[in-house]
Amino acid sequence: MAAKKLAIVLPAYNEEEVIEKTTARLHGLLLSMIENKKITSDSFIMYVDDGSKDRTWELVNQLRAQYGQVQGIRFSTNFGHQNALIAGMTHLTGTDVDYVVTIDADLQDDPEAIVDMVDLANAGKDIVYGVRNDRTTDTLFKRYTAQGFYKVMSALGVNSIPNHADFRLVNQKVLKAFSAYQEREMFLRGIFPLIGFNEGRVYYARAEREAGETKYPLRKMIQFAATGITSFSISPITFVRNLGIGIFGISILFLIYIFFGWAFGKTSTGWPTLMVSIWMLGGLQLVAIGIIGEYIGKIFMEVKHRPRYIIAEELNDYDEQA
């Protein structure tokens, strides 16, 4: 089989501490794969700078001059990790690139797994998922919350890949299908299994972060999980509706109980019971309003049709040829 052109897309936000090491390792991987005739000599690395505040973009320019096989896109401001991935894939859709691999810049995902991904793609797989074979590098809290998240997504009927983040290979057929998805808040880990096609998996051990700080603290993880759930299911609203029906039914039973108590002269007033009821129902109402508001907020964001991102600058071979 003829060698394929490969592009490795990496979202980068304040990654000055690790980007040089990441590039050196990926460049060495590209050279090895080119030598083994797995990919073409014009394969490259593409960084998507998500509005970094440090020297990330400056280093991308330096690395391009040093290695040559480095391209880049810089956002005008911070638009988020998922939008950086989308920008990289959208930029390469319909080009002469055969395979696009997305991977984070922190080297936690094993770059060597890309070789196996390309082999599976050459064997006919359209999407190849990088899947962690264990979560020993995670804290106990993160490990159990991640497992709980995947179970919740499965219970809601969302077809996701457990222990898979955003480390994957896709071909042009998948990229073209992906371009039809136009929603603003996109949960990529649920979108690609939804696209279908012929898929494969490569298992790897995830390493510790090489340098810098995680870009997904607890607050962002919770927001990310909420986006995933509300983007693919209306089950939370259905649950609130059913809960309301259940509470209404219980209140009818209590009303009947109180009526019979009054009929037999056994009425009593209970301030604690009254207060607990008020607080419980008030809390449930606020939860219900909050869940419904989350969906209304998504509708609000979608109907404005704002761009997912704005590109301030590009570094690619096409610009130099023009």
Side-chain angles (χ1 to χ4, degrees):
M1 178 179 288
K4 302 293 185 180
K5 186 172 181 178
L6 172 69
I8 303 176
V9 174
L10 302 95
Y13 179 67
N14 295 341
E15 298 287 4
E16 66 176 1
E17 295 181 56
V18 73
I19 194 170
E20 292 176 288
K21 185 172 183 179
T22 299
T23 306
R25 186 169 176 185
L26 289 176
H27 184 257
L29 180 67
L30 287 180
L31 292 180
S32 174
M33 296 176 71
I34 291 169
E35 184 179 351
N36 293 324
K37 297 186 177 359
K38 291 181 180 291
I39 60 175
T40 60
S41 59
D42 56 350
S43 298
F44 59 90
I45 301 163
M46 172 179 280
Y47 284 104
V48 182
D49 182 357
D50 186 20
S52 296
K53 305 300 182 185
D54 60 3
R55 296 176 58 245
T56 296
W57 185 248
E58 178 186 339
L59 290 172
V60 170
N61 280 266
Q62 294 176 12
L63 291 165
R64 177 169 175 78
Q66 179 179 350
Y67 292 105
Q69 292 172 296
V70 175
Q71 299 186 20
I73 296 172
R74 182 171 67 88
F75 284 172
S76 60
T77 187
N78 179 245
F79 285 95
H81 177 268
Q82 297 288 282
N83 284 325
L85 290 171
I86 293 169
M89 291 186 290
T90 300
H91 192 78
L92 298 170
T93 301
T95 65
D96 59 348
V97 173
D98 297 294
Y99 302 145
V100 174
V101 169
T102 56
I103 183 173
D104 288 342
D106 55 18
L107 290 180
Q108 285 190 276
D109 297 321
D110 183 10
E112 300 300 325
I114 295 174
V115 179
D116 297 327
M117 288 180 168
V118 170
D119 288 340
L120 284 177
N122 286 337
K125 302 298 183 183
D126 299 305
I127 306 178
V128 183
Y129 299 105
V131 182
R132 299 171 62 172
N133 54 19
D134 65 70
R135 303 191 71 97
T136 54
T137 57
D138 288 345
T139 62
L140 204 62
F141 173 78
K142 187 173 181 180
R143 193 180 311 164
Y144 284 108
T145 52
Q147 291 172 353
F149 171 72
Y150 287 118
K151 289 179 180 178
V152 169
M153 293 294 282
S154 178
L156 294 176
V158 181
N159 182 22
S160 59
I161 312 295
N163 297 321
H164 162 69
D166 290 300
F167 184 25
R168 68 181 70 87
L169 176 150
V170 294
N171 61 19
Q172 282 291 337
K173 182 165 65 172
V174 175
L175 287 175
K176 183 178 179 181
F178 174 70
S179 66
Y181 290 81
Q182 297 297 316
E183 56 259 45
R184 302 298 95 185
E185 293 189 31
M186 193 175 292
F187 183 66
L188 297 179
R189 301 179 194 184
I191 289 289
F192 282 101
L194 186 65
I195 290 175
F197 293 125
N198 195 5
E199 66 176 47
R201 301 186 187 188
V202 170
Y203 294 88
Y204 67 97
R206 200 163 196 242
E208 296 283 353
R209 184 180 175 87
E210 288 286 337
E213 298 180 353
T214 177
K215 304 306 183 292
Y216 270 97
L218 180 60
R219 176 183 61 83
K220 284 193 174 182
M221 286 175 60
I222 293 173
Q223 183 180 3
F224 184 71
T227 297
I229 291 171
T230 55
S231 293
F232 279 86
S233 177
I234 61 168
S235 293
I237 291 181
T238 305
F239 171 77
V240 169
R241 180 200 64 192
N242 294 339
L243 184 63
I245 293 172
I247 292 175
F248 178 76
I250 292 172
S251 68
I252 295 297
L253 294 177
F254 269 109
L255 183 63
I256 295 171
Y257 171 77
I258 292 170
F259 174 77
F260 278 102
W262 171 80
F264 290 98
K266 295 183 179 180
T267 57
S268 61
T269 57
W271 182 83
T273 305
L274 178 63
M275 292 305 297
V276 167
S277 300
I278 292 173
W279 279 95
M280 182 183 71
L281 292 175
L284 287 173
Q285 288 172 349
L286 289 175
V287 169
I289 292 170
I291 292 174
I292 295 170
E294 180 75 17
Y295 283 93
I296 293 173
K298 285 188 176 296
I299 296 170
F300 174 69
M301 294 303 295
E302 290 291 336
V303 298
K304 288 191 290 188
H305 296 294
R306 289 180 177 176
R308 295 192 186 104
Y309 52 84
I310 297 172
I311 296 175
E313 190 175 349
E314 295 183 30
L315 293 174
N316 58 56
D317 296 335
Y318 306 104
D319 290 339
E320 294 182 356
Q321 292 170 3

